[in-house]
């Protein structure tokens, strides 16, 4: 050891270079070993590196509060993991997500929609393949049965876990029904029953409000009517429409009669409703006593207005089963995330950790996971109990297949249906002309 | 811009790599019914709101050009809407004011008229957008005010001595001397008007209004780009808009020789 290769501070107190190296090495090893022990929590924590994860979802205040609490719990379990949260309404949610993905700025964990976004994003490689993590045990899917996992898969690859199940329903304003002394619909009922009830409500309300929202321009409501009437899905496997001018004419004529009778909301008031923005629904604004929405709408709409809300099935248009259960929303990880293992651990806790599940409760709807259902059953609020009972009631009957097709142009056709429906409602287009025009332009859009 | 031009010849969904399809996007523009509708709506919007806005701006500028006491605050007040006008907040307020339960209908109710939801009735929805545009007359008004100040007072005095009335003075002195400013405002307003997006997006809730009656060009472009992820098609639309605005501006410049009177025109009689 030559004395010129290091600094001497004091006589007789110099540290040899090799010894310095040895000390540094030992300290490094010791600190890392101590760090491992220091960060130890549950056994899974060993592979979870500290990270800041961005998580986005859509929903209202109650959901946001519950989700943040759940994330706080998860952060406490995995020290070093922190969250940046963003939430918004559903309108514009996926526009924003697409832009973020394109800009390389995608969030790590994202709440996903069943149709068409899951198939769209899954097939484009935007979402992380969760299969390997299930196999290694890093992702705990013990609460999900095969059907649930299948609903989160695209072409056999698991991209998302369903957080809740939902079904098409009629949302009833119980307060208004009670006010008028009219009995609520229960069990299965037909569209003729619906038409009669809407007229009855309008007459009894005497100008204060009308029977129902005008759903003639909403293709998702038409779809359920069509499935019940014909037993077929709207799109065949080749991606073509299966409905005819007769079907469309029957649908629009049914609503035109209700419009003439005055038992549904005026077209201009209905047109002010932006799809995806619940606060603009005439039903939420107190202008009608019935509307159509997914069953978990009972909870989401309840928080936007003061009256009590109840559920009924969507009226049946024929002898074929028309109610179906589909995931309300799902949770996914984006493929471009920098911390896949941490994200998987977080999602795993999100869907299987008992404390987390209790905090999340039913803010996303009736849970798809049986673990969650069992945990929550004893302590459900009255509203949540109604939700669970409704899903059980529907699931126990004959179910139709959930429409989950995703073809290019489907969103365009959806919007075309709304435009034609509005034109017919405003009297700018005759029903037969509108029906034919819709089918012609829809074929064009699907073939684009 | 070069990338956008390249993309207009591709199918690009923002998430995967673009693939070249030649002029297919431009060809589809020719047979897309929604595109035709958006062109129609935008042309009506520009053709009605710009002249209306300029007329209102000039009228108010004339009123406010006299230097009477307390005129300053008035000028500021009239200018205020154009500061706020293009914003999201104002569009939201507009949507509420002209909605079914809005203040406008309350006011109509005082006269016993039952109002409808003006923003979501196909016949009137574009009119609410035009009203919002005209409400922002403040910016051209301020420019007119400045120009009015430039006109030499001697011209009016000479005309008054010759016995000219107010209207004659306006037609023979004010208007001709203002033509360069009118031209300037016209070109500026036309270019901006074609690019209007926020009022259309907010008032229609992002849909283009009942049956596409408020589907302005830039809104349709945005919807195709970001909700349908058809970036190539949207890029083609952007370039066509550039061509349209360029052509109209060129036409305006070409015709300006006939009606714009510049003071330094030499010996033109």
């Amino acid at each position: 050891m030559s004395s010129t290769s290091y600094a001497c501070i004091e006589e007789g107190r110099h540290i040899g270079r090799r010894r310095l190296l040895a000390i540094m090495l030992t300290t490094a090893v010791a600190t890392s070993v101590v760090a491992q022990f220091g960060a130890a929590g549950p056994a899974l924590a060993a592979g979870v590196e500290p990270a800041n994860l961005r998580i986005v979802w859509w929903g209202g205040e109650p959901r946001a509060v519950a989700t943040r609490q759940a994330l706080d719990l998860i952060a406490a379990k995995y020290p070093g993991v922190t969250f940046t949260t963003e939430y918004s309404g559903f309108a514009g949610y996926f526009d924003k997500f697409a832009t973020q993905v394109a800009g390389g700025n995608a969030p790590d964990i994202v709440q996903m929609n069943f149709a068409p976004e899951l198939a769209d994003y899954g097939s484009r490689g935007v979402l992380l393949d969760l299969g390997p993590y299930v196999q290694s045990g890093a992702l705990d899917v013990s609460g999900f049965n095969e059907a649930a996992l299948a609903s989160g898969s695209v072409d056999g690859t698991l991209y998302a876990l369903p957080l809740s199940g939902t079904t098409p329903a009629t949302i009833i304003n119980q307060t208004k029904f009670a006010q008028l002394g009219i009995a609520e619909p229960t069990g299965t009922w037909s569209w003729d029953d619906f038409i009669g009830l809407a007229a009855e409500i309008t007459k009894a309300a005497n100008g204060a409000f009308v029977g129902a929202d005008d759903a003639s321009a909403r293709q998702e409501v038409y779809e359920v009517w069509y499935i019940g009437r014909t037993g077929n899905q709207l799109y065949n496997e080749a991606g073509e429409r299966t409905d005819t001018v007769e079907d469309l004419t029957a649908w629009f004529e049914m609503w035109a009669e209700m419009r003439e009778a005055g038992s549904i909301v005026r077209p201009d008031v209905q047109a002010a409703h932006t799809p995806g923005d619940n606060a603009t629904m005439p039903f939420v604004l107190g202008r009608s006593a019935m509307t159509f929405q997914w069953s978990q709408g009972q909870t989401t709409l309840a928080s936007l207005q003061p009256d009590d809300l109840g559920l009924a099935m969507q009226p049946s248009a024929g002898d074929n089963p028309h109610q179906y259960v589909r995931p309300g929303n799902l949770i996914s990880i984006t493929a471009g995330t920098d911390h896949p293992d941490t994200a998987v651990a977080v999602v795993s806790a999100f869907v299987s950790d008992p404390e987390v599940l209790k905090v999340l409760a039913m803010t996303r709807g009736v849970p798809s996971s049986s673990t969650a259902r069992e945990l929550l059953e004893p302590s459900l609020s009255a509203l949540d109990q109604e939700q669970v009972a409704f899903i059980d009631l529907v699931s126990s009957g004959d179910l139709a297949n959930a429409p989950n097709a995703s073809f290019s142009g489907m969103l365009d056709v959806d919007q075309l249906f709304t435009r034609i429906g509005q034109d017919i409602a405003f009297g700018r287009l005759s029903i037969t002309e509108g029906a034919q025009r819709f089918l012609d332009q829809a074929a064009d859009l699907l073939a684009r | 811009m070069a990338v956008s031009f390249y993309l207009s010849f591709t199918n690009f969904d923002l998430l995967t790599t673009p693939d070249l399809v030649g002029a297919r996007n431009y060809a589809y523009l020719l047979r897309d019914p929604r595109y035709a509708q958006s062109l129609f709506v935008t042309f009506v919007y520009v053709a009605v709101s710009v002249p209306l806005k300029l007329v209102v701006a000039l009228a108010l500028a004339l009123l406010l050009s006299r230097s009477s006491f307390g005129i300053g605050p008035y000028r500021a007040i009239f200018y205020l809407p154009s500061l706020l006008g293009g914003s999201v907040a104002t569009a939201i307020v507009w949507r509420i004011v002209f909605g079914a339960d809005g203040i406008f209908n309350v006011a109509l109710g005082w006269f016993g008229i039952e109002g409808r939801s003006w923003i979501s009735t196909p016949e009137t929805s574009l009119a609410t957008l035009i009203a919002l545009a005209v409400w922002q007359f403040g910016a051209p008004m301020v420019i007119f005010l400045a120009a009015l100040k430039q006109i030499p007072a001697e011209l009016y005095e000479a005309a008054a001595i010759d016995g000219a009335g107010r209207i004659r003075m306006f037609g023979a002195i004010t208007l001709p001397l203002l033509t360069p400013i009118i031209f300037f405002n016209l070109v500026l307003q036309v270019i901006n008007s074609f690019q209007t997006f926020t009022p259309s997006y907010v008032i229609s809730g992002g849909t283009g209004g009942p049956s596409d009656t408020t589907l302005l060009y830039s809104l349709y472009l945005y919807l195709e780009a970001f909700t349908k992820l058809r970036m190539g098609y949207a890029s083609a639309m952007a370039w066509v808009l550039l061509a349209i605005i360029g052509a109209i501006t060129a036409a305006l410049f070409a015709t300006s020789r006939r009606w714009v009177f510049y003071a330094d025109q030499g010996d033109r009689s």
Side-chain angles (χ1 to χ4, degrees):
Chain A
M1 282 198 287
S2 116
S3 56
T4 53
S5 64
Y6 51 84
C8 263
I9 299 169
E10 278 178 24
E11 270 286 324
R13 274 202 62 200
H14 51 264
I15 306 169
R17 197 213 234 160
R18 276 202 201 126
R19 236 175 113 195
L20 182 63
L21 222 53
I23 291 172
M24 281 168 59
L25 210 58
T26 333
T27 326
V29 170
T31 349
S32 72
V33 167
V34 169
Q36 289 278 31
F37 278 108
L44 287 169
V48 178
E49 32 170 283
N52 180 279
L53 295 181
R54 270 176 61 218
I55 172 167
V56 304
W57 68 87
W58 74 84
E61 268 308 299
R63 190 181 288 178
V65 168
T67 311
R68 286 219 194 88
Q69 276 183 324
L71 292 176
D72 286 339
L73 276 177
I74 299 179
K77 285 191 187 315
Y78 298 124
V81 177
T82 54
F83 296 100
T84 310
T85 60
E86 290 168 29
Y87 73 100
S88 69
F90 186 74
Y93 176 84
F94 280 106
D95 301 350
K96 190 167 161 199
F97 179 66
T99 324
Q100 287 177 329
V101 169
N105 191 25
D108 300 284
I109 302 175
V110 54
Q111 181 171 302
M112 190 45 55
N113 192 28
F114 179 58
E117 282 87 359
L118 177 62
D120 268 350
Y121 288 108
S123 59
R124 287 205 178 100
V126 173
L127 304 175
L128 187 67
D129 178 1
L130 300 173
Y133 298 95
V134 171
Q135 278 170 0
S136 73
L139 187 58
D140 181 0
V141 295
S142 51
F144 298 98
N145 61 21
E146 266 202 45
L149 290 177
S151 69
S153 310
V154 179
D155 289 334
T157 316
L158 182 68
Y159 287 115
L161 293 177
L163 293 173
S164 63
T166 189
T167 184
T170 318
I171 315 280
I172 312 276
N173 187 320
Q174 290 175 322
T175 310
K176 287 188 162 62
F177 268 74
Q179 215 180 317
L180 300 175
I182 296 180
E184 291 174 33
T186 50
T188 50
W189 55 319
S190 69
W191 277 94
D192 285 327
D193 297 331
F194 174 81
I195 294 171
L197 187 57
E200 201 190 325
I201 295 172
T202 311
K203 194 152 160 241
N206 207 15
F209 49 86
V210 295
D213 278 1
D214 182 347
S216 61
R218 288 173 55 192
Q219 193 176 238
E220 68 269 19
V221 185
Y222 167 74
E223 187 169 38
V224 177
W225 174 89
Y226 179 76
I227 293 175
R229 179 177 149 103
T230 63
N232 299 329
Q233 294 278 330
L234 268 185
Y235 291 93
N236 64 18
E237 276 165 20
E240 296 157 352
R241 299 281 297 199
T242 59
D243 54 342
T244 62
V245 174
E246 284 78 40
D247 297 313
L248 288 159
T249 310
W251 169 258
F252 287 121
E253 270 174 5
M254 178 176 73
W255 286 98
E257 277 171 26
M258 279 194 267
R259 199 169 294 122
E260 249 166 277
S263 39
I264 52 176
V265 181
R266 271 180 11 224
D268 59 311
V269 174
Q270 184 61 48
H273 170 218
T274 309
D277 182 5
N278 289 331
T280 55
M281 274 179 113
F283 177 80
V284 170
L285 296 170
R287 289 174 173 266
S288 72
M290 297 191 281
T291 191
F292 297 102
Q293 186 62 288
W294 302 111
S295 58
Q296 67 194 63
Q298 184 195 19
T299 343
T300 43
L301 297 182
S303 61
L304 292 173
Q305 48 88 65
D307 295 339
D308 291 325
L309 301 184
L311 285 171
M313 300 208 216
Q314 187 160 324
S316 57
D319 295 321
N320 303 293
H322 63 276
Q323 298 281 151
Y324 57 84
V325 178
R326 53 158 265 181
N329 43 60
L330 313 102
I331 189 166
S332 288
I333 303 173
T334 49
T337 177
D338 292 325
H339 311 280
D341 294 311
T342 317
V344 166
V346 167
V347 169
S348 189
F350 204 83
V351 301
S352 62
D353 184 297
E355 281 175 45
V356 171
L357 288 174
K358 284 224 185 84
V359 161
L360 287 173
M362 280 184 46
T363 52
R364 284 184 166 78
V366 177
S368 304
S369 144
S370 54
T371 323
R373 289 275 304 257
E374 280 159 36
L375 261 175
L376 294 172
E377 222 116 271
S379 55
L380 286 174
S381 72
L383 197 63
D384 288 340
Q385 277 174 19
E386 276 180 57
Q387 287 270 306
V388 173
F390 187 73
I391 291 275
D392 285 341
L393 173 66
V394 166
S395 307
S396 65
D398 282 325
L399 288 180
N401 286 330
N404 66 345
S406 168
F407 300 108
S408 130
M410 271 175 73
L411 196 55
D412 295 285
V413 175
D414 228 24
Q415 293 173 347
L416 175 68
F417 192 91
T418 301
R419 286 200 301 281
I420 302 261
Q422 283 175 343
D423 274 334
I424 292 176
F426 282 109
R428 286 151 58 98
L429 205 55
S430 77
I431 291 179
T432 30
E433 223 191 298
Q436 189 56 56
R437 187 182 292 193
F438 171 75
L439 286 175
D440 293 335
Q441 290 192 357
D444 246 353
L445 289 170
L446 291 167
R448 185 176 164 175
Chain B
M1 277 181 74
V3 174
S4 147
F5 189 65
Y6 167 71
L7 283 178
S8 71
F9 294 101
T10 67
N11 272 346
F12 179 43
D13 66 0
L14 209 58
L15 305 168
T16 55
T17 53
D19 71 326
L20 274 170
V21 290
R24 224 174 89 181
N25 289 327
Y26 290 98
Y28 192 73
L29 281 175
L30 294 173
R31 56 187 189 92
D32 183 355
R34 274 194 104 185
Y35 180 71
Q37 169 73 6
S38 75
L39 269 177
F40 173 71
V41 170
T42 311
F43 269 99
V44 170
Y45 176 76
V46 175
V48 175
S49 69
V50 172
L52 211 50
K53 190 188 222 178
L54 291 181
V55 163
V56 172
L58 183 55
L60 275 159
L62 285 169
L63 278 175
L64 295 172
S65 63
R66 53 186 87 195
S67 305
S68 54
F69 181 76
I71 202 75
Y74 274 110
R75 287 183 190 148
I77 290 170
F78 279 107
Y79 181 59
L80 218 47
S82 73
L83 276 180
L84 311 169
S87 67
V88 174
T90 313
I92 292 177
V93 169
W94 214 256
R95 191 191 149 103
I96 295 173
V97 164
F98 286 99
D101 304 317
I103 298 177
F104 190 68
N105 281 341
V106 170
L108 284 181
W110 297 335
F111 298 96
I113 306 173
E114 201 202 307
R116 63 186 65 181
S117 173
W118 306 93
I119 46 150
S120 54
T121 307
E123 289 81 18
T124 58
S125 51
L126 189 57
T128 58
L129 283 187
I130 291 174
L132 181 55
V134 172
W135 186 66
Q136 297 168 52
F137 60 83
M141 180 195 78
V142 159
I143 295 174
F144 278 136
L145 263 174
L148 283 171
K149 297 260 177 221
Q150 300 271 355
I151 299 176
E154 303 91 63
L155 290 174
Y156 292 113
E157 287 162 17
I161 292 172
D162 285 346
R166 297 278 293 276
I167 298 185
R168 187 79 211 280
M169 279 201 259
F170 177 76
I173 302 173
T174 319
L175 211 47
L177 287 177
L178 273 185
T179 48
I181 302 300
I182 295 177
F183 177 65
F184 170 76
N185 269 336
L186 184 64
V187 171
L188 221 58
Q189 292 299 324
V190 164
I191 293 176
N192 279 334
S193 211
F194 266 106
Q195 299 171 337
T196 309
F197 173 79
T198 307
S200 166
Y201 183 83
V202 173
I203 289 178
S204 71
T207 58
S211 313
D212 279 357
T213 47
T214 59
L215 187 71
L216 290 183
Y217 196 103
S218 39
L219 178 62
Y220 185 47
L221 202 160
Y222 169 84
L223 291 175
E224 285 294 297
F226 292 100
T227 61
K228 309 287 176 54
L229 297 183
R230 287 201 268 261
M231 287 294 165
Y233 189 58
S235 302
M237 282 179 63
W239 278 91
V240 171
L241 181 65
L242 177 64
I244 292 174
I245 296 180
I248 292 181
T249 310
L252 282 173
F253 269 93
T255 58
S256 74
R257 257 160 255 176
R258 296 191 181 235
W259 60 278
V260 178
F261 171 74
Y262 292 103
D264 56 355
Q265 290 234 332
D267 50 12
R268 241 188 72 159
S269 58

